[in-house]
Amino acid sequence: MTTDKYAVFGSPINHSKSPKIHQLFAKQTGQNLEYTAQEVNAESFAKSVTDFFVQGGKGLNCTVPLKELAWQFANEKTNRANSAKAVNTLIKQADGLILGDNTDGVGLVRDLTLNHEIELRGKRILILGAGGATRGIISPLLDEKPECLIVANRTVEKAWELAIEFNHSFSGCGFDDLHEEPFDLILNATSASLSGELPPISQHLLAKNGICYDLAYGNEPTAFVQWGKAQNARQSLDGLGMLVEQAAEAFFLWRGVRPETKAVIELLNSARQN
Ligand code: NDP
């Protein structure tokens, strides 16, 4: 029996948890596959992806800074990839064409609604940041029918441009423009946490019993998770669950089998507490 080959490409990639997650999924579902992490930058992307698939690779994940390049590379794209203009999952199809998908948004929504039982319908949601991650989560969040969705960004023009691109299905603004009613859910989709920083937001923005969620994650609580706890958020969560859920969706696209995520999230959580 041949072992099917998968990988994650990105830079930096040495701390990626994806190989561990996919090994756990493969073991759990009895799938025979290998999943490696490869340091690939924007310059080497096209050649590395082409070589990978020519050498028999079945599927790839692409992470920072390659998601927009992966979107351009794919022969065919799903609606959610086109809405995000970013691809984190490439699939080699039976006809040899490469399909690009974006599983980040569905991963976030599954983590919020299934793992944490957070209701999104009718809720006021604020996203901080207007980069690649925000592009991927807007449509899946809007599908949940929140009362309102606002994207606030340090560079306000990027938030405005994003709102125009999404036909004003949400409002874009700067951090200083947030003077309205508090929000039930604040999602930090900036990369500020990666350098231990906090986006400049007022404590009045979080509703009583509101929830904070940082898409970033680390071995210690991120600056934004700590901020949420200090505001007495009902829950203040990081993006480890989203990471596992987006991986599970990619695994499902590749193998046609949906792995159980709960045990994998628990295992990664306990590993970082030790
Ligand atoms: P991008 O580089 O595309 O965007 C970064 C965003 O962060 C921009 O909006 C930028 O604002 C903003 N920003 C950066 N530093 C600061 C700061 N100090 N204060 C305020 N805003 C800041 O990154 P991504 O969108 O790809 O990733 C964002 C985060 O989401 C990362 O932490 C990443 O790890 C996480 N992520 C997690 C996933 C998961 O599975 N859990 C999946 C995908 C992403 P400006 O436009 O002004 O520069």
Side-chain angles (χ1 to χ4, degrees):
M1 196 168 32
T2 56
T3 302
D4 291 337
K5 288 187 172 41
Y6 297 86
V8 57
F9 284 3
S11 182
I13 204 68
N14 51 345
H15 292 302
S16 173
K17 295 185 194 300
S18 294
K20 173 86 182 162
I21 293 170
H22 283 280
Q23 274 157 24
L24 290 166
F25 287 164
K27 194 168 168 212
Q28 182 203 102
T29 57
Q31 299 282 307
N32 183 22
L33 62 87
E34 172 194 292
Y35 186 109
T36 54
Q38 293 182 35
E39 181 78 25
V40 173
N41 60 27
E43 288 69 42
S44 57
F45 177 74
K47 183 174 184 323
S48 301
V49 182
T50 304
D51 289 352
F52 178 80
F53 283 118
V54 165
Q55 287 159 15
K58 297 280 184 193
L60 271 182
N61 284 136
C62 297
T63 184
V64 177
L66 307 173
K67 290 183 188 179
E68 285 180 25
L69 289 173
W71 178 73
Q72 289 164 16
F73 183 91
N75 305 116
E76 294 174 355
K77 285 155 260 204
T78 61
N79 287 343
R80 57 192 184 190
N82 277 334
S83 145
K85 291 206 174 98
V87 153
N88 73 339
T89 305
L90 292 170
I91 304 135
K92 186 161 187 180
Q93 303 177 117
D95 60 6
L97 293 177
I98 306 298
L99 175 68
D101 199 354
N102 188 315
T103 66
D104 282 339
V106 73
L108 171 70
V109 169
R110 288 178 80 93
D111 192 40
L112 288 166
T113 59
L114 301 179
N115 298 340
H116 298 290
E117 298 179 354
I118 296 167
E119 171 85 51
L120 300 176
R121 178 178 283 267
K123 296 295 190 289
R124 295 176 49 77
I125 302 178
L126 170 64
I127 302 178
L128 307 171
T134 296
R135 303 185 74 89
I137 64 176
I138 286 171
S139 294
L141 285 170
L142 287 172
D143 287 346
E144 298 295 310
K145 308 270 182 285
E147 181 193 304
C148 80
L149 180 66
I150 293 185
V151 171
N153 196 45
R154 179 174 63 181
T155 311
V156 63
E157 292 80 6
K158 270 173 72 178
W160 291 340
E161 282 161 18
L162 208 56
I164 292 168
E165 194 182 313
F166 280 78
N167 294 321
H168 296 285
S169 48
F170 64 88
S171 308
C173 66
F175 294 133
D176 292 342
D177 307 322
L178 293 164
H179 302 300
E180 40 187 314
E181 274 182 60
F183 294 88
D184 303 302
L185 172 64
I186 304 181
L187 295 158
N188 182 24
T190 73
S191 46
S193 289
L194 302 180
S195 48
E197 291 172 52
L198 197 61
I201 51 161
S202 148
Q203 61 191 65
H204 307 296
L205 285 175
L206 184 66
K208 193 163 183 284
N209 280 324
I211 291 165
C212 291
Y213 190 108
D214 198 342
L215 271 64
Y217 50 85
N219 284 336
E220 303 297 327
T222 67
F224 184 71
V225 168
Q226 290 179 39
W227 181 84
K229 286 183 175 158
Q231 310 312 316
N232 292 319
R234 178 151 59 93
Q235 298 186 71
S236 194
L237 306 160
D238 75 8
L240 187 74
M242 173 181 173
L243 177 78
V244 175
E245 293 294 343
Q246 63 76 29
E249 185 74 11
F251 191 93
F252 175 68
L253 292 168
W254 292 328
R255 310 298 297 184
V257 188
R258 190 173 285 286
E260 273 289 324
T261 51
K262 191 166 178 273
V264 175
I265 294 171
E266 279 173 8
L267 202 123
L268 294 180
N269 254 330
S270 61
R272 64 181 175 171
Q273 277 156 16
N274 293 325

